[in-house]
Amino acid sequence: GQQLNQSPQSMFIQEGEDVSMNCTSSSIFNTWLWYKQDPGEGPVLLIALYKAGELTSNGRLTAQFGITRKDSFLNISASIPSDVGIYFCAGHNFGNEKLTFGTGTRLTIIP
Amino acid sequence: DGGITQSPKYLFRKEGQNVTLSCEQNLNHDAMYWYRQDPGQGLRLIYYSQIVNDFQKGDIAEGYSVSREKKESFPLTVTSAQKNPTAFYLCASSARGVGEKLFFGSGTQLSVL
């Protein structure tokens, strides 16, 4: 099955830095989502985007639905220790029973 | 509190043995899913079920089996035919009409002895 391409694969940043990551697909999606997985836990939904060009925020997180419908972006401002984890993008089309997940971006904060 | 419970958290399998991973939800969700997670490979869908007594294969169903006898429960059996079973297994559920919003359990780490 298809998996979406996320970049970067991993990031090592200092506390307080801003973070940017993206997700690309060879096919279009009606919905883009971003999930976060804490170590040893299941992913949790952060943001859902339903319209091309849409920009949505959730606290320090901001995500965008790309105009082409083939990509999405996630930004985290002023990172804090609890931001550590793996961030997954996911694409979904109406009437489809399944999500397509990205390969993940692992975020590590350097002391 | 509503949620999804996976058990056990850690499981060990011997060669040639079948093992069953439990997944129970009290969110009254119709759909349930099983994903496998390997380091650096993201989440891959094993099986999913939209209603009781019905389920479909995902992208990597070989060597696995499921049942959906109750709405709340969706157990996954890792059979001896699965030659590389070591992975982190995640169960998820979603409400009807909102299939993109998955609620995940806390996972089961399966290792081979």
Short mmCIF file of all heavy atoms in Angstrom, two decimals, chain B residues 42-105:
data_model
loop_
_atom_site.label_atom_id
_atom_site.label_comp_id
_atom_site.label_asym_id
_atom_site.label_seq_id
_atom_site.Cartn_x
_atom_site.Cartn_y
_atom_site.Cartn_z
N GLY B 42 6.66 3.81 9.67
CA GLY B 42 5.31 4.33 9.82
C GLY B 42 4.32 3.25 10.21
O GLY B 42 4.68 2.20 10.75
N LEU B 43 3.06 3.50 9.91
CA LEU B 43 1.97 2.60 10.31
C LEU B 43 1.44 1.88 9.08
O LEU B 43 1.05 2.50 8.10
CB LEU B 43 0.84 3.41 10.95
CG LEU B 43 1.24 4.29 12.13
CD1 LEU B 43 0.03 5.07 12.64
CD2 LEU B 43 1.83 3.45 13.25
N ARG B 44 1.38 0.56 9.16
CA ARG B 44 0.86 -0.24 8.05
C ARG B 44 -0.38 -0.99 8.52
O ARG B 44 -0.37 -1.64 9.57
CB ARG B 44 1.93 -1.20 7.53
CG ARG B 44 3.12 -0.49 6.88
CD ARG B 44 4.10 -1.47 6.28
NE ARG B 44 4.82 -2.22 7.31
CZ ARG B 44 5.58 -3.28 7.06
NH1 ARG B 44 5.70 -3.73 5.82
NH2 ARG B 44 6.21 -3.88 8.05
N LEU B 45 -1.42 -0.95 7.70
CA LEU B 45 -2.72 -1.51 8.06
C LEU B 45 -2.74 -3.01 7.86
O LEU B 45 -2.42 -3.51 6.78
CB LEU B 45 -3.82 -0.84 7.23
CG LEU B 45 -5.25 -1.24 7.53
CD1 LEU B 45 -5.64 -0.84 8.95
CD2 LEU B 45 -6.19 -0.60 6.52
N ILE B 46 -3.16 -3.74 8.91
CA ILE B 46 -3.22 -5.20 8.85
C ILE B 46 -4.63 -5.65 8.48
O ILE B 46 -4.84 -6.36 7.49
CB ILE B 46 -2.80 -5.83 10.19
CG1 ILE B 46 -1.43 -5.34 10.63
CG2 ILE B 46 -2.81 -7.35 10.09
CD1 ILE B 46 -1.04 -5.79 12.03
N TYR B 47 -5.60 -5.29 9.28
CA TYR B 47 -7.01 -5.63 9.07
C TYR B 47 -7.86 -4.46 9.58
O TYR B 47 -7.43 -3.70 10.45
CB TYR B 47 -7.40 -6.89 9.85
CG TYR B 47 -7.27 -8.19 9.11
CD1 TYR B 47 -6.14 -8.99 9.29
CD2 TYR B 47 -8.27 -8.64 8.27
CE1 TYR B 47 -6.01 -10.20 8.63
CE2 TYR B 47 -8.15 -9.86 7.60
CZ TYR B 47 -7.01 -10.63 7.79
OH TYR B 47 -6.89 -11.83 7.13
N TYR B 48 -9.08 -4.36 9.06
CA TYR B 48 -10.03 -3.41 9.60
C TYR B 48 -11.44 -3.97 9.50
O TYR B 48 -11.72 -4.87 8.70
CB TYR B 48 -9.92 -2.04 8.91
CG TYR B 48 -10.23 -2.03 7.43
CD1 TYR B 48 -11.46 -1.57 6.97
CD2 TYR B 48 -9.29 -2.44 6.50
CE1 TYR B 48 -11.73 -1.53 5.61
CE2 TYR B 48 -9.56 -2.42 5.14
CZ TYR B 48 -10.78 -1.95 4.70
OH TYR B 48 -11.05 -1.92 3.36
N SER B 49 -12.32 -3.41 10.33
CA SER B 49 -13.70 -3.87 10.40
C SER B 49 -14.61 -2.67 10.53
O SER B 49 -14.40 -1.82 11.39
CB SER B 49 -13.86 -4.81 11.61
OG SER B 49 -15.22 -5.06 11.87
N GLN B 50 -15.62 -2.62 9.67
CA GLN B 50 -16.57 -1.50 9.72
C GLN B 50 -17.80 -1.83 10.57
O GLN B 50 -18.47 -0.93 11.09
CB GLN B 50 -17.02 -1.13 8.30
CG GLN B 50 -15.87 -0.65 7.41
CD GLN B 50 -15.34 0.69 7.83
OE1 GLN B 50 -16.07 1.66 7.98
NE2 GLN B 50 -14.04 0.79 8.06
N ILE B 51 -18.14 -3.13 10.63
CA ILE B 51 -19.31 -3.55 11.41
C ILE B 51 -19.04 -4.93 12.01
O ILE B 51 -18.11 -5.63 11.57
CB ILE B 51 -20.59 -3.62 10.55
CG1 ILE B 51 -20.38 -4.56 9.36
CG2 ILE B 51 -21.03 -2.24 10.09
CD1 ILE B 51 -21.63 -4.81 8.55
N VAL B 52 -19.86 -5.30 12.95
CA VAL B 52 -19.73 -6.61 13.59
C VAL B 52 -19.88 -7.72 12.55
O VAL B 52 -20.66 -7.60 11.60
CB VAL B 52 -20.80 -6.77 14.70
CG1 VAL B 52 -20.77 -8.18 15.27
CG2 VAL B 52 -20.56 -5.75 15.79
N ASN B 53 -19.07 -8.76 12.72
CA ASN B 53 -19.09 -9.95 11.86
C ASN B 53 -18.63 -9.68 10.44
O ASN B 53 -18.93 -10.46 9.53
CB ASN B 53 -20.48 -10.61 11.84
CG ASN B 53 -20.84 -11.22 13.17
OD1 ASN B 53 -19.98 -11.78 13.87
ND2 ASN B 53 -22.09 -11.11 13.55
N ASP B 54 -17.92 -8.58 10.24
CA ASP B 54 -17.37 -8.28 8.92
C ASP B 54 -16.01 -7.60 9.09
O ASP B 54 -15.85 -6.72 9.94
CB ASP B 54 -18.31 -7.36 8.14
CG ASP B 54 -17.85 -7.20 6.70
OD1 ASP B 54 -17.45 -8.21 6.09
OD2 ASP B 54 -17.88 -6.06 6.20
N PHE B 55 -15.03 -8.01 8.27
CA PHE B 55 -13.72 -7.39 8.31
C PHE B 55 -13.03 -7.56 6.96
O PHE B 55 -13.41 -8.44 6.17
CB PHE B 55 -12.85 -7.97 9.44
CG PHE B 55 -12.82 -9.48 9.50
CD1 PHE B 55 -11.95 -10.20 8.70
CD2 PHE B 55 -13.65 -10.16 10.38
CE1 PHE B 55 -11.91 -11.58 8.76
CE2 PHE B 55 -13.61 -11.54 10.46
CZ PHE B 55 -12.75 -12.25 9.64
N GLN B 56 -12.07 -6.69 6.69
CA GLN B 56 -11.36 -6.71 5.42
C GLN B 56 -9.85 -6.71 5.65
O GLN B 56 -9.36 -6.17 6.65
CB GLN B 56 -11.72 -5.48 4.56
CG GLN B 56 -13.10 -5.51 3.95
CD GLN B 56 -14.18 -5.18 4.96
OE1 GLN B 56 -14.00 -4.28 5.78
NE2 GLN B 56 -15.26 -5.91 4.92
N LYS B 57 -9.14 -7.29 4.70
CA LYS B 57 -7.68 -7.27 4.77
C LYS B 57 -7.15 -5.88 4.47
O LYS B 57 -7.68 -5.17 3.62
CB LYS B 57 -7.10 -8.26 3.76
CG LYS B 57 -7.40 -9.73 4.07
CD LYS B 57 -6.74 -10.63 3.04
CE LYS B 57 -7.02 -12.10 3.37
NZ LYS B 57 -6.39 -13.00 2.36
N GLY B 58 -6.08 -5.54 5.18
CA GLY B 58 -5.37 -4.32 4.88
C GLY B 58 -4.21 -4.60 3.95
O GLY B 58 -4.25 -5.54 3.15
N ASP B 59 -3.13 -3.84 4.10
CA ASP B 59 -2.00 -3.95 3.19
C ASP B 59 -1.06 -5.11 3.52
O ASP B 59 -0.33 -5.58 2.66
CB ASP B 59 -1.21 -2.65 3.19
CG ASP B 59 -2.07 -1.48 2.76
OD1 ASP B 59 -2.82 -1.63 1.78
OD2 ASP B 59 -1.99 -0.41 3.41
N ILE B 60 -1.07 -5.58 4.78
CA ILE B 60 -0.11 -6.62 5.18
C ILE B 60 -0.80 -7.69 6.01
O ILE B 60 -0.36 -8.04 7.10
CB ILE B 60 1.08 -6.01 5.96
CG1 ILE B 60 0.58 -5.20 7.18
CG2 ILE B 60 1.93 -5.12 5.07
CD1 ILE B 60 1.69 -4.88 8.17
N ALA B 61 -1.88 -8.28 5.50
CA ALA B 61 -2.70 -9.22 6.28
C ALA B 61 -2.10 -10.62 6.39
O ALA B 61 -2.51 -11.40 7.27
CB ALA B 61 -4.08 -9.31 5.66
N GLU B 62 -1.15 -10.97 5.55
CA GLU B 62 -0.63 -12.34 5.55
C GLU B 62 0.01 -12.69 6.89
O GLU B 62 0.85 -11.96 7.42
CB GLU B 62 0.41 -12.51 4.44
CG GLU B 62 0.90 -13.95 4.29
CD GLU B 62 1.81 -14.14 3.09
OE1 GLU B 62 1.93 -13.23 2.27
OE2 GLU B 62 2.42 -15.23 2.98
N GLY B 63 -0.40 -13.85 7.45
CA GLY B 63 0.15 -14.29 8.72
C GLY B 63 -0.63 -13.79 9.93
O GLY B 63 -0.25 -14.05 11.06
N TYR B 64 -1.73 -13.07 9.69
CA TYR B 64 -2.57 -12.54 10.75
C TYR B 64 -4.01 -12.98 10.55
O TYR B 64 -4.42 -13.26 9.43
CB TYR B 64 -2.54 -11.01 10.77
CG TYR B 64 -1.17 -10.40 10.98
CD1 TYR B 64 -0.41 -9.98 9.89
CD2 TYR B 64 -0.64 -10.24 12.26
CE1 TYR B 64 0.84 -9.41 10.08
CE2 TYR B 64 0.60 -9.68 12.45
CZ TYR B 64 1.34 -9.26 11.35
OH TYR B 64 2.57 -8.70 11.53
N SER B 65 -4.79 -13.01 11.64
CA SER B 65 -6.23 -13.25 11.53
C SER B 65 -6.93 -12.42 12.59
O SER B 65 -6.34 -12.05 13.61
CB SER B 65 -6.57 -14.74 11.70
OG SER B 65 -6.27 -15.16 13.01
N VAL B 66 -8.21 -12.10 12.33
CA VAL B 66 -9.00 -11.29 13.26
C VAL B 66 -10.40 -11.87 13.36
O VAL B 66 -10.81 -12.71 12.56
CB VAL B 66 -9.09 -9.82 12.81
CG1 VAL B 66 -7.74 -9.13 12.86
CG2 VAL B 66 -9.71 -9.72 11.42
N SER B 67 -11.15 -11.36 14.33
CA SER B 67 -12.57 -11.66 14.46
C SER B 67 -13.25 -10.41 14.98
O SER B 67 -12.62 -9.56 15.62
CB SER B 67 -12.81 -12.84 15.39
OG SER B 67 -12.38 -12.54 16.70
N ARG B 68 -14.56 -10.29 14.68
CA ARG B 68 -15.31 -9.14 15.20
C ARG B 68 -16.70 -9.65 15.61
O ARG B 68 -17.71 -9.41 14.94
CB ARG B 68 -15.44 -8.05 14.13
CG ARG B 68 -16.09 -6.77 14.66
CD ARG B 68 -15.14 -5.84 15.31
NE ARG B 68 -15.75 -4.70 15.95
CZ ARG B 68 -16.07 -3.56 15.33
NH1 ARG B 68 -15.90 -3.43 14.02
NH2 ARG B 68 -16.58 -2.56 16.01
N GLU B 69 -16.73 -10.35 16.71
CA GLU B 69 -17.97 -10.94 17.20
C GLU B 69 -18.79 -9.95 18.02
O GLU B 69 -20.00 -10.10 18.17
CB GLU B 69 -17.66 -12.19 18.02
CG GLU B 69 -17.00 -13.30 17.21
CD GLU B 69 -16.63 -14.50 18.06
OE1 GLU B 69 -16.91 -14.47 19.28
OE2 GLU B 69 -16.06 -15.46 17.51
N LYS B 70 -18.11 -8.95 18.58
CA LYS B 70 -18.79 -7.92 19.35
C LYS B 70 -18.31 -6.54 18.87
O LYS B 70 -17.17 -6.40 18.43
CB LYS B 70 -18.48 -8.06 20.84
CG LYS B 70 -18.93 -9.35 21.47
CD LYS B 70 -18.71 -9.33 22.98
CE LYS B 70 -17.25 -9.12 23.33
NZ LYS B 70 -17.03 -9.13 24.80
N LYS B 71 -19.15 -5.56 19.00
CA LYS B 71 -18.80 -4.21 18.55
C LYS B 71 -17.59 -3.68 19.30
O LYS B 71 -16.76 -2.96 18.77
CB LYS B 71 -19.99 -3.27 18.76
CG LYS B 71 -19.80 -1.88 18.20
CD LYS B 71 -21.09 -1.06 18.38
CE LYS B 71 -20.96 0.31 17.74
NZ LYS B 71 -22.21 1.08 17.86
N GLU B 72 -17.48 -4.08 20.59
CA GLU B 72 -16.45 -3.51 21.45
C GLU B 72 -15.08 -4.16 21.28
O GLU B 72 -14.09 -3.64 21.75
CB GLU B 72 -16.86 -3.66 22.92
CG GLU B 72 -18.17 -3.00 23.28
CD GLU B 72 -19.38 -3.83 22.88
OE1 GLU B 72 -19.22 -5.05 22.59
OE2 GLU B 72 -20.49 -3.28 22.84
N SER B 73 -15.04 -5.32 20.62
CA SER B 73 -13.82 -6.12 20.65
C SER B 73 -13.32 -6.48 19.26
O SER B 73 -14.13 -6.86 18.39
CB SER B 73 -14.09 -7.39 21.46
OG SER B 73 -12.96 -8.21 21.51
N PHE B 74 -12.01 -6.43 19.06
CA PHE B 74 -11.42 -6.75 17.76
C PHE B 74 -10.05 -7.39 17.98
O PHE B 74 -9.01 -6.77 17.76
CB PHE B 74 -11.29 -5.46 16.94
CG PHE B 74 -10.97 -5.67 15.47
CD1 PHE B 74 -11.56 -6.67 14.73
CD2 PHE B 74 -10.10 -4.80 14.82
CE1 PHE B 74 -11.28 -6.83 13.38
CE2 PHE B 74 -9.82 -4.94 13.47
CZ PHE B 74 -10.40 -5.95 12.75
N PRO B 75 -10.01 -8.64 18.42
CA PRO B 75 -8.73 -9.28 18.70
C PRO B 75 -7.95 -9.64 17.44
O PRO B 75 -8.54 -9.99 16.41
CB PRO B 75 -9.14 -10.55 19.47
CG PRO B 75 -10.54 -10.81 19.03
CD PRO B 75 -11.16 -9.48 18.76
N LEU B 76 -6.64 -9.57 17.55
CA LEU B 76 -5.73 -9.90 16.44
C LEU B 76 -4.90 -11.11 16.83
O LEU B 76 -4.27 -11.12 17.89
CB LEU B 76 -4.80 -8.73 16.17
CG LEU B 76 -3.67 -8.97 15.15
CD1 LEU B 76 -4.24 -9.02 13.73
CD2 LEU B 76 -2.60 -7.88 15.26
N THR B 77 -4.89 -12.13 15.98
CA THR B 77 -4.04 -13.30 16.21
C THR B 77 -2.86 -13.26 15.25
O THR B 77 -3.05 -13.13 14.03
CB THR B 77 -4.82 -14.61 16.02
OG1 THR B 77 -5.85 -14.69 17.01
CG2 THR B 77 -3.90 -15.83 16.18
N VAL B 78 -1.68 -13.33 15.80
CA VAL B 78 -0.45 -13.42 15.02
C VAL B 78 -0.13 -14.90 14.90
O VAL B 78 0.19 -15.55 15.91
CB VAL B 78 0.70 -12.64 15.68
CG1 VAL B 78 1.94 -12.67 14.79
CG2 VAL B 78 0.28 -11.22 15.98
N THR B 79 -0.24 -15.45 13.71
CA THR B 79 -0.07 -16.89 13.55
C THR B 79 1.39 -17.26 13.32
O THR B 79 2.24 -16.38 13.05
CB THR B 79 -0.92 -17.42 12.39
OG1 THR B 79 -0.31 -17.03 11.16
CG2 THR B 79 -2.34 -16.87 12.46
N SER B 80 1.66 -18.54 13.36
CA SER B 80 3.02 -19.02 13.12
C SER B 80 3.46 -18.76 11.68
O SER B 80 4.65 -18.81 11.37
CB SER B 80 3.12 -20.51 13.44
OG SER B 80 2.18 -21.24 12.68
N ALA B 81 2.51 -18.47 10.80
CA ALA B 81 2.84 -18.17 9.40
C ALA B 81 3.49 -16.79 9.24
O ALA B 81 4.10 -16.51 8.22
CB ALA B 81 1.59 -18.24 8.54
N GLN B 82 3.37 -15.95 10.26
CA GLN B 82 3.99 -14.62 10.23
C GLN B 82 5.44 -14.80 10.67
O GLN B 82 5.72 -14.98 11.86
CB GLN B 82 3.24 -13.66 11.13
CG GLN B 82 3.89 -12.28 11.31
CD GLN B 82 4.29 -11.62 10.01
OE1 GLN B 82 5.47 -11.41 9.74
NE2 GLN B 82 3.30 -11.30 9.20
N LYS B 83 6.35 -14.73 9.72
CA LYS B 83 7.75 -15.08 10.00
C LYS B 83 8.54 -13.97 10.66
O LYS B 83 9.62 -14.21 11.21
CB LYS B 83 8.44 -15.49 8.69
CG LYS B 83 7.82 -16.72 8.04
CD LYS B 83 7.74 -17.89 9.02
CE LYS B 83 7.11 -19.11 8.40
NZ LYS B 83 6.91 -20.21 9.38
N ASN B 84 8.05 -12.78 10.61
CA ASN B 84 8.74 -11.64 11.23
C ASN B 84 7.77 -10.85 12.09
O ASN B 84 7.41 -9.72 11.76
CB ASN B 84 9.36 -10.75 10.14
CG ASN B 84 10.18 -9.63 10.72
OD1 ASN B 84 10.65 -9.71 11.85
ND2 ASN B 84 10.32 -8.56 9.96
N PRO B 85 7.31 -11.42 13.20
CA PRO B 85 6.24 -10.79 13.97
C PRO B 85 6.68 -9.69 14.93
O PRO B 85 5.84 -8.96 15.46
CB PRO B 85 5.65 -11.96 14.75
CG PRO B 85 6.82 -12.85 14.98
CD PRO B 85 7.67 -12.74 13.74
N THR B 86 7.97 -9.55 15.15
CA THR B 86 8.43 -8.55 16.12
C THR B 86 8.10 -7.15 15.63
O THR B 86 8.57 -6.71 14.58
CB THR B 86 9.96 -8.67 16.32
OG1 THR B 86 10.24 -9.95 16.89
CG2 THR B 86 10.46 -7.58 17.25
N ALA B 87 7.25 -6.46 16.38
CA ALA B 87 6.80 -5.12 16.00
C ALA B 87 5.94 -4.56 17.12
O ALA B 87 5.60 -5.26 18.08
CB ALA B 87 5.99 -5.16 14.70
N PHE B 88 5.57 -3.30 16.97
CA PHE B 88 4.65 -2.62 17.88
C PHE B 88 3.29 -2.62 17.18
O PHE B 88 3.17 -2.15 16.05
CB PHE B 88 5.16 -1.20 18.13
CG PHE B 88 4.46 -0.46 19.23
CD1 PHE B 88 4.39 -1.01 20.52
CD2 PHE B 88 3.89 0.78 19.02
CE1 PHE B 88 3.77 -0.33 21.55
CE2 PHE B 88 3.26 1.46 20.05
CZ PHE B 88 3.20 0.91 21.31
N TYR B 89 2.28 -3.20 17.84
CA TYR B 89 0.95 -3.33 17.24
C TYR B 89 -0.01 -2.33 17.87
O TYR B 89 -0.14 -2.26 19.10
CB TYR B 89 0.43 -4.76 17.41
CG TYR B 89 1.20 -5.75 16.58
CD1 TYR B 89 2.37 -6.34 17.07
CD2 TYR B 89 0.79 -6.09 15.29
CE1 TYR B 89 3.10 -7.23 16.30
CE2 TYR B 89 1.51 -6.98 14.51
CZ TYR B 89 2.66 -7.54 15.02
OH TYR B 89 3.38 -8.43 14.25
N LEU B 90 -0.71 -1.61 17.00
CA LEU B 90 -1.64 -0.57 17.46
C LEU B 90 -3.05 -0.87 16.98
O LEU B 90 -3.26 -1.18 15.81
CB LEU B 90 -1.20 0.79 16.91
CG LEU B 90 0.03 1.39 17.57
CD1 LEU B 90 0.65 2.44 16.67
CD2 LEU B 90 -0.33 2.00 18.92
N CYS B 91 -3.98 -0.77 17.89
CA CYS B 91 -5.40 -0.90 17.59
C CYS B 91 -6.02 0.49 17.58
O CYS B 91 -5.59 1.36 18.36
CB CYS B 91 -6.07 -1.80 18.63
SG CYS B 91 -7.84 -2.04 18.39
N ALA B 92 -6.98 0.72 16.71
CA ALA B 92 -7.63 2.02 16.64
C ALA B 92 -9.10 1.84 16.34
O ALA B 92 -9.54 0.78 15.86
CB ALA B 92 -6.98 2.89 15.56
N SER B 93 -9.88 2.87 16.61
CA SER B 93 -11.30 2.85 16.27
C SER B 93 -11.72 4.23 15.78
O SER B 93 -11.02 5.22 16.01
CB SER B 93 -12.15 2.44 17.48
OG SER B 93 -12.14 3.46 18.47
N SER B 94 -12.85 4.27 15.08
CA SER B 94 -13.39 5.54 14.62
C SER B 94 -14.91 5.46 14.57
O SER B 94 -15.48 4.38 14.40
CB SER B 94 -12.83 5.92 13.24
OG SER B 94 -13.27 5.01 12.26
N ALA B 95 -15.54 6.62 14.69
CA ALA B 95 -16.99 6.69 14.63
C ALA B 95 -17.45 6.65 13.17
O ALA B 95 -16.72 7.00 12.26
CB ALA B 95 -17.47 7.97 15.31
N ARG B 96 -18.72 6.24 12.98
CA ARG B 96 -19.27 6.18 11.63
C ARG B 96 -19.27 7.57 11.00
O ARG B 96 -19.67 8.54 11.62
CB ARG B 96 -20.69 5.63 11.67
CG ARG B 96 -21.34 5.49 10.30
CD ARG B 96 -22.73 4.93 10.43
NE ARG B 96 -22.72 3.61 11.07
CZ ARG B 96 -23.83 2.88 11.26
NH1 ARG B 96 -25.00 3.35 10.86
NH2 ARG B 96 -23.76 1.72 11.85
N GLY B 97 -18.81 7.65 9.77
CA GLY B 97 -18.82 8.93 9.06
C GLY B 97 -17.63 9.82 9.37
O GLY B 97 -17.48 10.88 8.75
N VAL B 98 -16.80 9.40 10.33
CA VAL B 98 -15.62 10.20 10.69
C VAL B 98 -14.42 9.29 10.69
O VAL B 98 -13.63 9.25 11.65
CB VAL B 98 -15.78 10.87 12.06
CG1 VAL B 98 -14.87 12.09 12.18
CG2 VAL B 98 -17.21 11.26 12.32
N GLY B 99 -14.27 8.54 9.61
CA GLY B 99 -13.23 7.53 9.57
C GLY B 99 -11.82 8.06 9.60
O GLY B 99 -10.89 7.32 9.83
N GLU B 100 -11.68 9.36 9.37
CA GLU B 100 -10.33 9.92 9.37
C GLU B 100 -9.84 10.21 10.79
O GLU B 100 -8.64 10.34 11.01
CB GLU B 100 -10.27 11.20 8.53
CG GLU B 100 -10.93 12.42 9.14
CD GLU B 100 -12.42 12.49 8.89
OE1 GLU B 100 -13.02 11.48 8.49
OE2 GLU B 100 -13.00 13.58 9.11
N LYS B 101 -10.75 10.29 11.73
CA LYS B 101 -10.36 10.61 13.11
C LYS B 101 -10.25 9.31 13.90
O LYS B 101 -11.22 8.81 14.45
CB LYS B 101 -11.36 11.56 13.73
CG LYS B 101 -11.37 12.92 13.05
CD LYS B 101 -12.24 13.91 13.80
CE LYS B 101 -12.15 15.29 13.15
NZ LYS B 101 -12.98 16.30 13.85
N LEU B 102 -9.04 8.79 13.95
CA LEU B 102 -8.78 7.54 14.65
C LEU B 102 -8.41 7.79 16.10
O LEU B 102 -7.68 8.73 16.41
CB LEU B 102 -7.65 6.77 13.97
CG LEU B 102 -7.86 6.33 12.53
CD1 LEU B 102 -6.66 5.53 12.05
CD2 LEU B 102 -9.12 5.52 12.39
N PHE B 103 -8.91 6.92 16.95
CA PHE B 103 -8.52 6.91 18.36
C PHE B 103 -7.71 5.63 18.56
O PHE B 103 -8.20 4.53 18.27
CB PHE B 103 -9.75 6.90 19.27
CG PHE B 103 -10.49 8.20 19.25
CD1 PHE B 103 -11.34 8.52 18.22
CD2 PHE B 103 -10.34 9.10 20.29
CE1 PHE B 103 -12.03 9.73 18.20
CE2 PHE B 103 -11.03 10.30 20.29
CZ PHE B 103 -11.87 10.62 19.24
N PHE B 104 -6.48 5.77 19.04
CA PHE B 104 -5.58 4.64 19.16
C PHE B 104 -5.48 4.15 20.60
O PHE B 104 -5.61 4.93 21.56
CB PHE B 104 -4.16 5.03 18.71
CG PHE B 104 -4.00 5.12 17.21
CD1 PHE B 104 -4.27 6.29 16.54
CD2 PHE B 104 -3.57 4.01 16.50
CE1 PHE B 104 -4.11 6.38 15.17
CE2 PHE B 104 -3.40 4.08 15.13
CZ PHE B 104 -3.67 5.27 14.45
N GLY B 105 -5.21 2.84 20.75
CA GLY B 105 -4.82 2.31 22.03
C GLY B 105 -3.35 2.59 22.28
O GLY B 105 -2.67 3.21 21.45
#
